[in-house]
Amino acid sequence: MLRKILLPTIFIILAYGFWVSPDFKVIAAGVSIFLFGMLSLEEGFKAFSGGTLEKILQKSTDKLYKSIGFGILTTTIMQSSSLVSVLTISFLGAGLIGLAQGIGIVFGANIGTTTGAWLVAGLGLKVKISAYAMPMLVFGVILIFQKAKSLKGIGYVLTGLGFLFLGIHYMKDGFEAFKDTIDLASYAVTGYTGLFIFTGIGIFATVVMQSSHATLVLIITALAAGQISYENALALAIGANVGTTITAILGAMSSNIVGKQLAGAHLIFNGVTGLIAILFIHQLMYSVDAISAYVGIANDDYALKLAVFHTIFNVIGVLVMVPFIGKLVTFLESTLKVDSARSDAGYDSARYLNESVLELPSTSMAAIVRETKHLYENAFEIITHGLNLKRTNIISSMPLEEVIKESYSQDPINVDEFYNNKIKGIYGEIIDFSTRAQSAMSPNDIEILYKLKLANRDIVEAVKDTKHLQKNLIKYSQSANTHIKEQYDIIRRDLSELLRNINIIATTDEEDVKLLLLSKAKVHTEKYDILANGTLDKLIREGLITNEMATSLMNDSAYAYDISKNLIDMAEVTFTDISTNTISFNEELAMNAEDIELILEKKDD
């Protein structure tokens, strides 16, 4: 309802402003051009995000000071703390970073946004930057029409910078001309009344423009033209800082719970920082005067003094909040929780698939990979219990012969119920999300995404085959016929070994170990096929099992083979770097099990 009212209201106000003053049109056009420039910059930086940004994230955010530094650097480059906040929510939603790391990036982004104030106050108002805007726009537009993704990205960045500079130029000229018609400085309000009024105006302006950077540029250009008082400009800057949280909150509405927690941290941080600035406004103004005098800023250069103020109160906010990050994380995790109603009822749903991660193709891909791993975790539980084994035993170092002796339960689990509660829904969400995500992906990414879809299908098929295998497996594992019991114990042992190896593959970082274990699993699967190795023929020929047992064993051996094959194919896509896997399936089968064991032993040494 509010959105429906807000847009027409903005149009009416703008139309009235255009009618009252032609100079207002110039200012409004400057703001619009500036915002369009930010959109172009965002599009340009997205072109360089594939894969590289995730690696930088992992290395640059493992410590709090690194997270803050990353936030400062990226905001300085992108010139948009709102964009950095939204992208951070996207990375957090995809599970690429943790909540504490995300909070560190947001803290850094608030310091990084001060560089924009310095650039505008120190360069934009003193140099005719429109002269640089024109060639940037020309070269940028030419590069945008190129086919290469990197050239397109550079084109969008140049075009964005060109529009930013052009927007600042029009805002500056508009305010210079506007003061001859209307003197806005005559509406200045002093004291705490003015402080609260103009802080509110700053919040409103930032909410409307969805950019604190654009609001700051507007404030600085108006201040330089003498259209607002210095004191009111400080209040507007405080409001712009608080208002930028709205963008993060809107971005988090489509994210998962951790994205909402980060938006909550953003709101708390900017709210506390703004409150500190309001309460200690006179002390901060005195500090600005002292620092300005020390670095040689003229006493009447209010634009640069505003940049000093903006830097001081953001740095103070970070210094105040950093010691409480741990408590802030605890508070947010306890306050904003996942709806436990479905999980308590045994249902599970997707953890990483949400609208916020669609912001970038790379975060979409990362989210799908993590969700595939989540689906496998559930499948691992179902398959293990379907084999009547304990998960803790399989992932331990317990000998496999002892693993199969210790049953999970006397009563078989309902695989259908587990499938409906923990597999079917997530699988459907992955396929639906993948279909939407691939529209923004490159052909190479779409090929990888297709393999991930197949990996998810393999997981589902493995669970379904476990359901078919379960009935006879439990029946004959307790049979008085030692021969049939032995064969079903072999099936359980072989699948236990495979699950254990996949767990090692999923938890190790060494790519060659992963590939060797997968090779071993493939060779093992082929070698112990009872139809191929003559075991079944021997049991029938010697009359050791009945015809009914033989039929069951033949069918269940096929189910076990399919489970193994599906899980191996899934692990090869999900847990390894596909680009490094150069060993073909036939080459792997050509390697005998002893060769692979020898290689693995050497690796351990």
Side-chain angles (χ1 to χ4, degrees):
M1 185 64 185
L2 182 62
R3 288 185 179 182
K4 289 181 180 179
I5 297 171
L6 186 61
L7 188 60
T9 304
I10 292 170
F11 280 160
I12 292 168
I13 293 170
L14 287 172
Y16 177 75
F18 296 157
W19 179 64
V20 169
S21 171
D23 298 319
F24 180 75
K25 286 190 286 188
V26 178
I27 297 169
V31 174
S32 301
I33 293 168
F34 186 90
L35 289 172
F36 188 77
M38 294 197 71
L39 289 174
S40 297
L41 267 180
E42 179 181 340
E43 195 67 32
F45 285 119
K46 282 182 179 180
F48 299 104
S49 64
T52 306
L53 194 54
E54 290 71 29
K55 292 175 184 176
I56 295 172
L57 264 177
Q58 291 171 356
K59 292 181 180 178
S60 304
T61 59
D62 55 344
K63 297 281 194 305
L64 179 60
Y65 73 89
K66 287 185 179 181
S67 296
I68 294 173
F70 181 82
I72 294 171
L73 181 63
T74 51
T75 308
T76 301
I77 295 170
M78 295 183 183
Q79 284 300 294
S80 173
S81 61
S82 299
L83 174 59
V84 172
S85 298
V86 170
L87 290 179
T88 303
I89 289 170
S90 181
F91 292 130
L92 195 62
L96 292 171
I97 57 174
L99 181 57
Q101 294 167 297
I103 292 173
I105 293 173
V106 167
F107 284 8
N110 274 267
I111 297 174
T113 196
T114 62
T115 60
W118 282 102
L119 287 170
V120 176
L123 182 66
L125 300 179
K126 295 177 172 60
V127 178
K128 191 178 180 182
I129 56 175
S130 60
Y132 299 98
M134 299 305 176
M136 283 183 174
L137 288 171
V138 172
F139 290 123
V141 170
I142 291 171
L143 289 173
I144 285 173
F145 284 101
Q146 304 306 305
K147 290 184 178 180
K149 185 180 178 182
S150 57
L151 290 177
K152 273 183 177 289
I154 294 169
Y156 275 113
V157 170
L158 283 175
T159 305
L161 289 172
F163 279 126
L164 288 182
F165 288 173
L166 202 60
I168 293 169
H169 168 73
Y170 278 115
M171 281 187 267
K172 179 184 172 184
D173 285 358
F175 276 115
E176 288 288 346
F178 194 64
K179 69 180 180 182
D180 296 330
T181 309
I182 301 174
D183 185 12
L184 292 177
S186 61
Y187 297 97
V189 183
T190 58
Y192 274 100
T193 304
L195 192 60
F196 283 109
I197 289 173
F198 278 87
T199 298
I201 293 171
I203 293 172
F204 177 76
T206 307
V207 170
V208 170
M209 291 190 283
Q210 290 291 291
S211 171
S212 61
H213 196 61
T215 308
L216 270 175
V217 172
L218 197 60
I219 295 165
I220 292 170
T221 50
L223 180 62
Q227 286 285 51
I228 54 174
S229 68
Y230 173 56
E231 188 178 332
N232 290 162
L234 299 183
L236 286 167
I238 294 169
N241 216 58
V242 176
T244 193
T245 59
I246 303 300
T247 306
I249 291 169
L250 291 173
M253 288 175 69
S254 60
S255 181
N256 56 12
I257 192 65
V258 285
K260 292 179 174 66
Q261 290 168 350
L262 182 65
H266 199 301
L267 179 63
I268 291 169
F269 170 72
N270 283 42
V272 168
T273 304
L275 186 62
I276 291 171
I278 290 171
L279 292 175
F280 298 98
I281 187 69
H282 297 297
Q283 291 85 346
L284 287 172
M285 288 174 71
Y286 175 78
S287 301
V288 169
D289 290 338
I291 292 171
S292 298
Y294 180 76
V295 298
I297 296 173
N299 195 45
D300 60 348
D301 193 345
Y302 294 115
L304 277 175
K305 288 174 77 172
L306 177 62
V308 174
F309 172 80
H310 194 243
T311 303
I312 289 173
F313 93 82
N314 271 295
V315 170
I316 288 174
V318 171
L319 292 175
V320 168
M321 293 297 294
V322 159
F324 301 101
I325 282 184
K327 291 182 179 179
L328 181 61
V329 170
T330 304
F331 168 75
L332 290 167
E333 288 178 342
S334 60
T335 306
L336 298 171
K337 297 179 180 178
V338 181
D339 183 10
S340 59
R342 283 176 65 85
S343 59
D344 289 343
Y347 291 94
D348 196 9
S349 57
R351 294 177 184 172
Y352 306 103
L353 307 182
N354 51 79
E355 296 297 322
S356 69
V357 301
L358 289 170
E359 192 74 26
L360 296 170
S362 53
T363 52
S364 299
M365 186 69 77
I368 294 167
V369 170
R370 287 179 175 270
E371 203 59 62
T372 302
K373 292 177 181 179
H374 173 213
L375 184 68
Y376 171 69
E377 287 172 10
N378 288 353
F380 180 87
E381 176 188 5
I382 297 170
I383 293 169
T384 304
H385 293 168
L387 297 173
N388 203 18
L389 300 170
K390 293 183 178 180
R391 285 181 296 170
T392 52
N393 291 348
I394 288 179
I395 62 175
S396 70
S397 57
M398 180 186 291
L400 292 172
E401 297 300 332
E402 294 181 23
V403 169
I404 62 174
K405 288 179 182 177
E406 193 171 339
S407 299
Y408 168 69
S409 173
Q410 294 298 322
D411 301 316
I413 67 161
N414 188 332
V415 175
D416 272 332
E417 183 180 348
F418 269 80
Y419 171 78
N420 289 324
N421 291 351
K422 294 194 172 187
I423 298 293
K424 188 176 181 179
I426 299 174
Y427 177 57
E429 289 183 69
I430 290 172
I431 298 303
D432 177 65
F433 184 87
S434 300
T435 303
R436 287 187 292 147
Q438 71 182 28
S439 61
M441 290 183 176
S442 66
N444 184 53
D445 286 341
I446 292 174
E447 185 179 344
I448 294 172
L449 184 60
Y450 175 71
K451 292 179 181 179
L452 282 168
K453 287 181 183 178
L454 293 180
N456 280 278
R457 188 189 67 182
D458 290 336
I459 293 172
V460 171
E461 292 299 324
V463 172
K464 289 180 178 179
D465 288 333
T466 301
K467 173 195 169 185
H468 297 306
L469 175 64
Q470 182 192 35
K471 181 182 177 182
N472 286 330
L473 189 143
I474 292 174
K475 174 183 175 182
Y476 290 121
S477 292
Q478 300 169 354
S479 174
N481 185 318
T482 56
H483 301 287
I484 194 69
K485 181 179 183 302
E486 180 186 1
Q487 292 304 315
Y488 276 92
D489 281 344
I490 289 172
I491 290 174
R492 293 171 75 215
R493 185 197 65 200
D494 290 347
L495 289 174
S496 299
E497 183 179 7
L498 175 62
L499 291 169
R500 177 175 286 181
N501 284 336
I502 291 177
N503 181 66
I504 295 170
I505 290 166
T507 53
T508 185
D509 293 326
E510 297 185 52
E511 204 65 32
D512 53 348
V513 171
K514 294 180 181 183
L515 296 178
L516 285 168
L517 284 173
L518 284 169
S519 299
K520 176 185 176 183
K522 288 181 180 181
V523 172
H524 190 281
T525 300
E526 295 295 324
K527 183 177 179 181
Y528 293 98
D529 180 1
I530 63 167
L531 292 174
N533 62 22
T535 300
L536 184 62
D537 290 340
K538 181 181 179 184
L539 290 171
I540 295 172
R541 189 169 56 251
E542 296 180 4
L544 300 175
I545 58 175
T546 64
N547 291 336
E548 181 188 352
M549 291 178 180
T551 303
S552 297
L553 182 58
M554 183 172 62
N555 291 334
D556 294 335
S557 175
Y559 288 134
Y561 178 84
D562 289 341
I563 292 171
S564 298
K565 186 178 181 302
N566 285 325
L567 291 180
I568 290 168
D569 290 343
M570 175 279 306
E572 198 165 23
V573 172
T574 309
F575 298 116
T576 67
D577 183 355
I578 301 171
S579 61
T580 63
N581 189 357
T582 56
I583 305 175
S584 70
F585 183 74
N586 290 331
E587 288 173 331
E588 288 167 325
L589 293 182
M591 298 172 68
N592 59 53
E594 289 77 13
D595 290 337
I596 295 171
E597 291 287 357
L598 184 60
I599 295 170
L600 287 170
E601 286 174 11
K602 287 180 179 179
K603 184 69 187 173
D604 291 337
D605 293 338

